[in-house]
Amino acid sequence: MPYNKKSFSKASIIVVLIGDSGVGKTSLMNQFFNRKFTEQYKATIGSDFLSKEILVDDYVVTIQVWDTAGQERFQSLGVAFYRGADCCVLCFDVNDSKSFESLDNWRDEFLIQAAPQDPENFPFVVIGNKIDVEESKRMVSQKRAMAWCQSKGGIPFFETSAKEATKVEEAFQAIAKIAVEQEKEYELYK
Amino acid sequence: MHDAFQLVPVLEQLPVQVESIVVTEDGVSVRLIDTKKSFANQAIRQLEVIREAGLLVSLAEDVVTLYSLQTYTQKMLLKSTKGAQMMTVYTGVDHVDGIPVIVSKLAVIVKKKLIVFEWRDAQFTDNKEFPLNEKIRSFQFSTSNMLILSTTKEFMCLQLSRGQWIDLLAADAASLRSMAKPQPQGTQQLPTSQSSGSGGGGGWGSWTMGLIGNAATGSPNIVKMPDEELLLCREDIGVFISSAGKLSKNHDGPIQFSSTPTCITYTPLYVITTQSKNDSDGAKRHNVVVQNIVDHSIVQELDLQQETPLRVTNGGNGKQVWIAGANTIWHLFPVDIHKQVEDVLQICDFEQAHNLVTKAENIFEEDREHLIQKIQWLQARWLFREEAEYEDALGMFSKLNATPTEPIALYPKSISGDLAEEYDNNLDEGAKDDEKDLSVYNDKSGTKTPTRPPSKGTQSEPSNSQKSTKKRRVVWRDGLLSMMRYLTEHRRRIQKAFSNNEQELVYLVRITQNDNEDIQDLPDVPPVPKNPDREMRENNFAPLLQFQLINVPINIVAMAQLVDTTLLKLYIECSPSLIGSLLRVKNHCDIEESEALLLKHKKFKELVDLYHGNELHRKALQLLMEHGQNKESVDLYGTKALVNYLQRLPASLFDLILEYVSWPLSYHQKDADASIFIDGHKESVEMDQDLETHPSTNHIIYKVFADGRPATLNFPREKVVSFLSGFSPYQIVCYLEYAIDEWKDTSPSLHNSMALALLQIVKDAIPKSPNKSIDITDPRRQKLIAFLKSSKYYSAEKILLNLPAENLYEERMHVLARLGQFSKALELAVFHLKKLSVGEEYCKEYVEKCENIYMLFLTVLTGDVPADVPQPRPQSSQASSKKLQKLLDNECKKRLNFSLHLIASYPSHFPLGQTLASLPPNTVLQKDFISYFKTQLRLQSQEQRETAILANLGTVERFQLRCRLKELQEICVVIGDTSVCSHCLKRIGKGVAFAVLPGKSQPIHLSCWQRRKNAEAKAKENKPQISFPNGGGFKQSAN
Ligand SMILES: Nc1nc2c(ncn2[C@@H]2O[C@H](COP(=O)(O)OP(=O)(O)O)[C@@H](O)[C@H]2O)c(=O)[nH]1
Ligand SMILES: [Mg+2]
């Protein structure tokens, strides 16, 4: 069916996932790109990316998501790489308050490495993952996470479960939209 | 231009005329054959050496003769070469059946044919002839299997093994000139002239004899070049081709000579020609011209005066160049490499300097590397200073592993601090002012003069003022951003080193000659570089290379401090919103320096982060206090920032937190509190107030003491309460709601505090005028009552003591309930509060705790007025006393009526006998009492029935137990002298424990039974997991 697809001028938008190891970054990627989930934990080594085309407001956008190894902090990817990012996704595990408390540090380190033109307005997104785990194990309330996001200038916040595919699609869709908006340039494509 | 060579006459005033010359690879001197008188009778036209075969080859008297290279005695005259005109030799490695052999070849043009002689591993093996149908003007081997030849019209190549001829290109100057540099990927074929092969041009007759070693101006010439290349020349133009006969990619197009050279040779870096021109006085002068082999620029010209150079030659693949005149032999002696490099560096030709060093002979590898490093070092500096190519410059420094102090020192004082090099006199004076400081650098970066020698003339030439300052600022901003990236990258390296527990990092450090003494004690702190640019400038010929680069281990902490502090300065300059991030993550910014900088730039918020990172909490809090009270303060006015800071402190700093939370808490004394009595107040308090400069008291309490972070869970709660009691009970309530509701704290002292605080609030709300109370529906009282009812942990006695005597009876009633003093509570309702319905509600509420509470109530209602109830004072007058009596009677009647109402409403709670006994004898029972009696009677008969059922059940149970006992007693084993153990079959003797197993009649030793049980358990364990149902081995059936 012929319909007017428009494509975005930039070849692909780049999104980086960062956060403590074990919070589910790789699982979120897997869920979004392959619709798969595994309980097995395999630490990510170095970094890896996946990409696919998605539709954002009628624009065809190639989204390229980089998964990073948490334990090494910022040593796994080059500075140049962070500089190219259009959106940075800060991930934590709602059942692990330490992973939440690290967000400040992740954000600051990212800003230092990426040194964006306008650090105050660089698009971040926060994902609180593993909400499928029973309520009694939950350590970071939605309220607390939202207060943090609010204090950083209103970062969008999503609660997801990579295991049960809850809100994963929505989160990435929103991330793509935010990243596209960051780029600001739209181009018509026939 | 620079001096690449010195012309050194080696032999002068030779008594004989030089006819030809040959240089051996390792010879430093020329062997001059003419002095061997007997060597040849006629002029030797050409000499060649085939070292691998130990041969000196001479072409004289139209014939080629081979001599021994050692003795110069004749070995053989090649008769077949009679009539020889030209020859050329080649030695290389060839593979014969996969085995490498050294192959030497001699090609000779003899009349109308070409003869090729071949030696393998010094043994003469073969000669081949090829017919020629055109006159050959010049020829050279390009590989052992290929000859490149030229006629007057055409360059071509001859495939020796197949004897195949291929045209290469037309041999006229115009064709050569049109040869562009080939595209890197192109395998461009050489264009050939249309008229190839046809024997036009000069006939055989015009073959000029005696043009030995002289590229005849009119005819094409083929010359060997380094790296197996050949130069195809005609007149003043030459084209480089590779050994495969393709256009070479290593040169910037064809080489143009200023005039047609007489002789051509090469070194690895240069094409060397001799040229002649007419002087102003008409005399012919001869020059040696040295040209860059890549870009063909003229490097040097040397004057040979008037002696005509006959032949130029080189030995050892361009290692030595010799020029022979008629009576003089010159050696073109390379100038010392350092001097040459220095020369080209003075004109900023870094590429050439690099080439010179990589191709230089007679230099230790180590020195070569060092020299290359120094060149790159200088180039990086130059790119930065003169070209404003900051990114490239910093990239080079990175690649060199240069100490970061070096590039940092190139930045103005505002960034490099003490490391700053003196770059400009004007700059120093203006350095106080930052703007000026930077703008001077901006000027520098704006002037792009790549070839301007930095060493000549006055340096601080006025910048091109036409260039807009704005543009310059943009360029300079590049410089700052590049440095930011450079340092960020470096920071990661340091982080990695830290995580590997390294103590030191090794860097390449520049040491000037004067520093040499200090090298011994290696610097622990980053060295302060001296400024070579300046030295360079002050003295026209200050040697640029006069410094050393050495690897120095530098303390990692010191380096981290420098890197982070410099990064901080860059952020201040061009990305202020990153300052906070840097100071919040783990960093090594120098505290004092950073503090001063942040103060100077009024970055107070960031200063707070600096203090926090270094645990200078009191300093931070003090700053926040000051700025919080200062309306001018941009970021920090208000109590919010201080509160946020307190939130970041650990529980161990509890006392400090208390000290500094006082001011924010006392900021709104009046209005803040009532919100705790609104439903859902917690959410609104916690969420909404983050945007205000002065958050409400409750919000502060939530954030500092109760937001659930680990610290708040570890605070000593009683201390928090006693601290908050210094403010108001509202704040205690606010805090304790978290402790009690969220964290489920059950300690009595907290519950007491909660009750007392709520009570205090209520007490404070009671109007001062006498007999006025506070309505029961008031949310404050409701909250108090709700707490008194729900909490099980406060001390009732303590609360009773604090309850007012004349007021708040409801509260008192609930506390009394905790003590089980229900009658007392009900008396309060009846006689003090005078609200009988309150008593009824009370009974409903506590009937589960106290079954007979209704009876108690009835007793109170129908009993005497207790002594402690204030009686209306009997007044003297009769009338009033009568009135009083009437009143009392009225009340009494009211109570009685209420009693009857109760009995009727809750009939089951009033046992008949007791109830009737408590009612006054003259009570009139109404009609609705019938239902009460019915209920009671029903209850009693129900009770009776239940009792009967229970009794019957008891009987049944007793009977069952009896039966069971009897059964068990019937199992009886008699142990006599013959009784044996069913297991070991031994006698069961006296005093031995035995057992009888259920369903068996034979006794068994207890020990036997236990042993058997153990054995069985073991056997079960050891049983193999897989069993074969057929028990039939492992045999498999054939099909
Ligand atoms: N229950 C639950 N487990 C998850 C979820 N996402 C990831 N995990 C598990 O958490 C572990 C770490 O996940 P991984 O994606 O490797 O984390 P990463 O280190 O951040 O890449 C794995 O065992 C996953 O199976 C989730 O949404 N719910
Ligand atoms: Mg991973």
Side-chain angles (χ1 to χ4, degrees), chain A residues 74-75 77-79 82-83 101 105 107-109 111-113 115-117 119-120 143-144 147 151, chain B residues 477 484-485 488-489 491-492 495-496 499 571 575 577-578 581-582 584-585 686-687 690 702 709-710:
Chain A
F74 283 83
Q75 289 163 19
L77 295 176
V79 169
Y82 285 98
R83 263 179 244 139
E101 279 143 27
N105 195 50
R107 183 176 164 274
D108 283 327
E109 277 286 5
L111 285 173
I112 293 170
Q113 299 293 334
Q117 296 281 339
E120 279 109 338
K143 194 171 74 182
R144 187 166 165 218
S151 74
Chain B
R477 202 181 140 77
M484 228 161 82
R485 290 190 279 269
T488 313
E489 197 93 57
R491 225 182 139 250
R492 289 151 58 104
Q495 274 175 351
K496 213 170 206 162
S499 61
Y571 286 163
S575 196
S577 49
L578 289 178
S581 289
L582 177 63
R584 283 191 298 270
V585 301
E686 288 161 19
M687 286 302 293
D690 243 20
Y702 164 70
R709 64 185 194 279

Side-chain angles (χ1 to χ4, degrees), chain B residues 12-235:
Chain B
E12 283 176 293
Q13 306 299 312
L14 289 171
V16 290
Q17 197 166 331
V18 177
E19 292 277 358
S20 70
I21 171 175
V22 70
V23 183
T24 58
E25 189 145 330
D26 44 11
V28 203
S29 61
V30 62
R31 294 173 213 274
L32 208 63
I33 309 310
D34 305 57
T35 54
K36 286 195 78 108
K37 291 263 166 67
S38 59
F39 195 78
N41 298 328
Q42 245 185 285
I44 295 167
R45 207 182 283 172
Q46 202 183 342
L47 280 175
E48 297 289 351
V49 164
I50 304 175
R51 206 168 61 112
E52 288 72 15
L55 294 173
L56 178 68
V57 186
S58 142
L59 167 56
E61 300 163 32
D62 293 349
V63 72
V64 176
T65 315
L66 305 179
Y67 295 86
S68 156
L69 195 53
Q70 281 80 40
T71 57
Y72 302 121
T73 50
Q74 181 174 338
K75 284 183 93 173
M76 191 196 296
L77 187 131
L78 301 173
K79 287 202 188 89
S80 58
T81 62
K82 261 230 169 316
Q85 285 133 14
M86 269 197 285
M87 64 176 183
T88 184
V89 297
Y90 178 88
T91 297
V93 178
D94 209 352
H95 289 263
V96 176
D97 299 334
I99 302 156
V101 285
I102 293 172
V103 175
S104 301
K105 289 191 176 175
L106 165 68
V108 188
I109 307 272
V110 186
K111 291 175 191 155
K112 284 191 172 184
K113 64 187 181 203
L114 168 72
I115 309 176
V116 180
F117 301 88
E118 184 175 330
W119 287 260
R120 287 176 187 238
D121 289 338
Q123 292 298 312
F124 176 79
T125 49
D126 197 11
N127 66 333
K128 265 188 191 161
E129 295 192 6
F130 301 88
L132 295 172
N133 51 18
E134 274 179 277
K135 284 151 294 186
I136 299 301
R137 296 293 183 180
S138 175
F139 74 140
Q140 293 286 351
F141 281 98
S142 70
T143 65
S144 66
N145 197 27
M146 185 145 73
L147 270 170
I148 308 288
L149 308 93
S150 74
T151 63
T152 33
K153 300 191 80 180
E154 198 78 28
F155 289 105
M156 46 212 174
C157 85
L158 170 61
Q159 248 270 335
L160 294 177
S161 54
R162 281 177 276 158
Q164 186 187 1
W165 291 84
I166 301 162
D167 290 342
L168 286 181
L169 75 162
D172 57 301
S175 299
L176 291 181
R177 226 180 290 281
S178 68
M179 291 290 103
K181 191 185 183 184
Q183 300 305 306
Q185 72 273 30
T187 47
Q188 193 178 333
Q189 282 298 329
L190 297 168
T192 51
S193 78
Q194 300 305 319
S195 57
S196 69
S198 63
W204 282 101
S206 66
W207 192 290
T208 43
M209 307 295 226
L211 63 2
I212 298 150
N214 188 349
T217 50
S219 58
N221 191 13
I222 301 172
V223 190
K224 276 195 177 148
M225 284 287 129
D227 303 324
E228 307 276 285
E229 292 186 344
L230 293 175
L231 185 65
L232 310 182
C233 299
R234 183 85 186 238
E235 294 165 21

Side-chain angles (χ1 to χ4, degrees), chain B residues 258-329:
Chain B
S258 37
S259 62
T260 305
T262 46
C263 304
I264 305 176
T265 191
Y266 65 92
T267 70
L269 286 176
Y270 305 115
V271 175
I272 294 165
T273 51
T274 53
Q275 297 173 13
S276 46
K277 54 184 165 197
N278 288 326
D279 229 353
S280 49
D281 50 12
K284 235 188 169 121
R285 290 190 78 86
H286 301 279
N287 266 347
V288 178
V289 181
V290 180
Q291 273 171 278
N292 184 306
I293 200 163
V294 177
D295 65 18
H296 314 145
S297 58
I298 293 175
V299 172
Q300 193 182 7
E301 288 186 54
L302 297 136
D303 193 357
L304 287 179
Q305 266 90 36
Q306 295 187 350
E307 189 163 346
T308 316
L310 293 171
R311 197 172 161 85
V312 172
T313 187
N314 76 58
N317 256 328
K319 281 181 188 151
Q320 301 166 19
V321 176
W322 303 84
I323 296 162
N327 299 106
T328 310
I329 291 178

